[in-house]
């Protein structure tokens, strides 16, 4: 079956702009999580959605937001981009039960200039 | 809150050798899962192995095995008969019902290079 698909793969934005990243989970997976990966901070949890509801949120400013649609596809949005938002953004999908395997996409590389 | 620490930023071994990656974690919970994920240059994270905290038996998956020491809060990964394809970043991670479903806490990672 198809894996987790993230689009776009690469993105270059200017400081102050906003950006929307998309994630299509594995068919049947209703949980979608987002992570930010940077060389300095490593992998940090952004938020998790299940059945269109945000169940959990990491310690990120309100400029970072997300949503999930009825087909489980998810988007995350970053407004008023800062240079420090440059990172690899990873999406993962999984079954609802905790402790199960998270399947990751290949990520979106965001560069803010 | 749970924390995960990987003290080896980089490791390098020859093909066919055995290598052990270290991971320690801190938690006050009794019920949690521990994971090792692999991130090759393609960037896609792949689950290597998973351990349930209440299971005393160490998990194994082919050439990959863990040494889970619950009292010491240690969770090391052993790769036997290492192969060139094992070259990747390896992340140790934890998950618990209190911190939230599908909220993984990752260590900083260990860059493993397998040399021919």
């Amino acid at each position: 079956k198809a894996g987790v698909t993230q689009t776009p793969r690469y993105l270059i934005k200017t400081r102050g702009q906003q950006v929307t990243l998309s994630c299509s989970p594995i068919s049947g997976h209703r949980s979608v999580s987002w992570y930010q990966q940077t060389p300095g901070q490593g992998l940090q949890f952004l938020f998790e959605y299940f059945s269109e509801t945000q169940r959990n949120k990491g310690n990120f400013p309100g400029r970072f937001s997300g949503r999930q649609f009825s087909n489980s596809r998810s988007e995350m949005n970053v407004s008023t981009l800062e240079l420090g938002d440059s990172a690899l953004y990873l999406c993962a999908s999984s079954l609802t039960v905790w402790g199960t395997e998270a399947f990751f996409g290949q990520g979106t590389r965001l560069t803010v200039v | 809150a749970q924390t995960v620490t990987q003290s080896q930023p980089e490791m390098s071994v020859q093909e066919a050798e055995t290598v052990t990656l270290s991971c320690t974690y801190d938690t006050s919970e009794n019920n949690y899962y521990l994971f090792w994920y692999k991130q090759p240059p393609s960037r896609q994270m792949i689950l290597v192995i998973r351990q349930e905290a209440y299971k005393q038996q160490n998990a194994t998956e082919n050439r990959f095995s863990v040494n889970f020491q619950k009292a010491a809060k240690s969770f090391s990964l052993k790769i036997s008969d290492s192969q060139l394809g094992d070259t990747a970043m390896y992340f140790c991670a934890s998950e618990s019902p209190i911190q939230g479903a599908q909220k993984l806490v990752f260590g900083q990672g260990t860059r493993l290079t397998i040399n021919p």
Side-chain angles (χ1 to χ4, degrees):
Chain A
K1 57 184 175 183
V4 178
T5 303
Q6 290 188 246
T7 56
R9 292 287 306 278
Y10 300 90
L11 207 49
I12 300 176
K13 288 288 188 178
T14 303
R15 195 170 42 181
Q17 288 185 315
Q18 74 165 17
V19 67
T20 299
L21 312 182
S22 179
C23 173
S24 293
I26 291 174
S27 178
H29 286 189
R30 296 165 67 188
S31 172
V32 174
S33 301
W34 289 88
Y35 294 85
Q36 182 195 63
Q37 185 175 18
T38 59
Q41 299 298 316
L43 280 151
Q44 292 185 289
F45 173 81
L46 280 157
F47 27 65
E48 186 254 350
Y49 287 87
F50 171 71
S51 290
E52 303 177 64
T53 300
Q54 186 182 89
R55 288 199 299 190
N56 213 337
K57 191 176 191 306
N59 294 325
F60 279 82
R63 299 185 297 106
F64 291 81
S65 63
R67 59 177 175 169
Q68 186 180 34
F69 302 94
S70 58
N71 62 357
S72 294
R73 189 176 71 86
S74 177
E75 290 181 346
M76 69 163 280
N77 184 277
V78 187
S79 62
T80 318
L81 284 165
E82 301 177 359
L83 297 179
D85 297 333
S86 294
L88 179 66
Y89 290 88
L90 293 170
C91 163
S93 78
S94 57
L95 297 171
T96 60
V97 179
W98 74 281
T100 55
E101 178 178 357
F103 293 83
F104 285 81
Q106 289 188 285
T108 294
R109 171 77 65 188
L110 171 65
T111 302
V112 182
V113 297
Chain B
Q2 291 201 335
T3 59
V4 177
T5 303
Q6 293 177 250
S7 59
Q8 304 153 311
E10 293 189 36
M11 295 189 74
S12 178
V13 298
Q14 296 299 120
E15 193 176 5
E17 289 183 344
T18 294
V19 59
T20 299
L21 309 183
S22 301
C23 172
T24 58
Y25 60 94
D26 188 19
T27 181
S28 57
E29 301 169 32
N30 286 321
N31 199 16
Y32 51 91
Y33 277 84
L34 297 168
F35 306 83
W36 279 98
Y37 278 89
K38 166 186 175 180
Q39 187 179 38
S42 67
R43 308 185 323 205
Q44 188 161 17
M45 301 272 281
I46 303 165
L47 178 66
V48 175
I49 200 164
R50 180 181 68 167
Q51 175 80 42
E52 300 169 73
Y54 61 85
K55 286 190 175 180
Q56 292 189 346
Q57 185 174 6
N58 289 325
T60 62
E61 286 288 341
N62 301 313
R63 298 183 295 107
F64 299 87
S65 62
V66 298
N67 183 3
F68 175 46
Q69 301 290 326
K70 191 172 183 178
K73 296 180 180 176
S74 171
F75 182 61
S76 60
L77 173 69
K78 185 172 83 171
I79 305 174
S80 303
D81 186 26
S82 58
Q83 301 174 358
L84 298 179
D86 295 333
T87 294
M89 282 289 291
Y90 286 81
F91 292 94
C92 179
S94 71
E95 182 184 349
S96 74
I98 291 179
Q99 75 190 24
Q102 312 309 331
K103 179 183 177 183
L104 292 165
V105 176
F106 286 93
Q108 287 294 101
T110 297
R111 184 177 303 279
L112 175 64
T113 302
I114 309 299
N115 299 306

